[in-house]
Amino acid sequence: QVLLVESGGGLVQTGGSLRLSCAASGRTFSIYRMGWDRQAPGKEREFVARISWSGENAAYADSVKGRFTISRDNAKNTVYLQMNSLKPEDTAIYYCNADWLRWGQGTNSWGQGTQVTVSS
């Protein structure tokens, strides 16, 4: 099993910054990709960013490109999401996720979520 714990959410003004962290534990050696999704009130969960465990490949939603940066620290089994130039529409619960192999087949785990609120 892979367990994920997010931290770093909070309340920030428009234009401000936050850094989210996601610490993985358990079968971390089987993780091949991690990322962040978010869910705003009344909306469906949406993709934000993801990164390969090697760090060679990263992808972003168009809505956050140029403002958010995903990175990872393999030694700490932690993935970060640096969020700059925040907007009220970034307000959401942010969920960390990990894709990993169990008995050779892909599966995924999710964290409990961390609230990000951007005031106008």
Side-chain angles (χ1 to χ4, degrees), residues 6-22:
E6 302 105 331
S7 61
L11 174 64
V12 65
Q13 291 185 335
T14 296
S17 298
L18 282 175
R19 188 176 82 154
L20 305 183
S21 300
C22 175

Side-chain angles (χ1 to χ4, degrees), residues 56-118:
E56 294 178 352
N57 298 295
Y60 299 90
D62 288 342
S63 59
V64 306
K65 277 182 183 176
R67 301 188 297 121
F68 291 11
T69 302
I70 189 170
S71 62
R72 89 281 177 267
D73 184 336
N74 290 358
K76 296 182 179 180
N77 293 318
T78 299
V79 169
Y80 305 96
L81 185 68
Q82 178 66 43
M83 306 185 294
N84 299 328
S85 302
L86 283 162
K87 305 174 182 180
E89 51 263 44
D90 294 318
T91 295
I93 299 174
Y94 284 70
Y95 296 92
C96 176
N97 58 83
D99 295 320
W100 53 283
L101 294 174
R102 177 165 55 189
W103 303 113
Q105 293 198 342
T107 186
N108 54 55
S109 295
W110 293 84
Q112 81 287 353
T114 185
Q115 176 71 48
V116 171
T117 303
V118 184

Side-chain angles (χ1 to χ4, degrees), residues 7-52:
S7 61
L11 174 64
V12 65
Q13 291 185 335
T14 296
S17 298
L18 282 175
R19 188 176 82 154
L20 305 183
S21 300
C22 175
S25 61
R27 297 174 59 92
T28 57
F29 58 88
S30 62
I31 295 173
Y32 59 91
R33 186 172 59 200
M34 290 186 71
W36 294 88
D37 284 22
R38 67 187 181 186
Q39 188 166 18
K43 295 187 177 181
E44 294 187 354
R45 191 173 296 192
E46 64 175 3
F47 162 75
V48 175
R50 64 173 177 261
I51 188 168
S52 61

